[in-house]
Amino acid sequence: LVLTENIHQHPERTDLYMERGELYLLHEDFSAARSDFFTCIQQGSMNLRVSLGMSKALFYTGQPDSSLYYVDLALMYDALHPSALEWRAFILQDEDRFCESALAYEKLISLTLQPTPSLFIDASRAWTGCDAMDAEDKSILVLKQGLAHLGQIHVIEKELVSAYLRYEKFEEAL
């Protein structure tokens, strides 16, 4: 409410629209978020936060292709931005572009000092959907790398056993 009042008083301040757009995303009002980010873009205030916010708003309003365009714009501002890289990998996986998604997750893992277990699991699952000849091996390898990097994490161990079973590598699953 305060932000909206400030916008009414200072409609030229795109930083206020950007902040409100980000709040709309948190409250899952994606159409309102898209509108605020669009206002920023119309007024010439394009930056990483606006691009990433617009990407999320577009994705959740059923426009994944446009969402991918805007996350790519965000990555033009900072090619190593962790949230943008993860969001891009997520969109690619959602669009069944599994090989690209897996590579994006692996890039993020390599750039992150403390990657979360979910990044290794998401990368493995993306490799599972990929039709490359070595995707099966990469699906398993990324989980092994997760265990080597993070230690014995139960969720990664469980995912590794599931991968072994999926690929009928029963000896390894034991």
Side-chain angles (χ1 to χ4, degrees), residues 13-108:
R13 292 205 35 212
T14 55
D15 61 313
L16 298 174
Y17 285 98
M18 181 178 62
E19 287 180 39
R20 188 174 69 176
E22 291 172 337
L23 286 173
Y24 281 141
L25 286 176
L26 292 172
H27 289 279
E28 298 183 5
D29 189 346
F30 304 115
S31 294
R34 186 182 63 212
S35 177
D36 277 358
F37 293 125
F38 185 70
T39 299
C40 293
I41 294 165
Q42 277 187 316
Q43 293 185 16
S45 184
M46 181 67 106
N47 59 42
L48 187 141
R49 287 172 59 190
V50 169
S51 300
L52 189 55
M54 180 61 106
S55 175
K56 291 179 180 183
L58 289 166
F59 180 83
Y60 289 116
T61 55
Q63 300 173 64
D65 289 338
S66 296
S67 176
L68 189 58
Y69 171 81
Y70 277 97
V71 77
D72 285 342
L73 283 180
L75 288 166
M76 288 175 64
Y77 290 100
D78 181 356
L80 304 178
H81 191 272
S83 294
L85 288 169
E86 185 172 11
W87 181 245
R88 186 176 195 283
F90 172 81
I91 295 168
L92 290 168
Q93 189 162 3
D94 186 74
E95 291 300 295
D96 296 340
R97 293 169 62 179
F98 299 112
C99 300
E100 292 173 85
S101 175
L103 291 171
Y105 277 120
E106 287 193 354
K107 178 179 181 180
L108 179 58

Side-chain angles (χ1 to χ4, degrees), residues 102-118:
L103 291 171
Y105 277 120
E106 287 193 354
K107 178 179 181 180
L108 179 58
I109 289 167
S110 73
L111 296 171
T112 307
L113 294 176
Q114 292 295 321
T116 62
S118 65

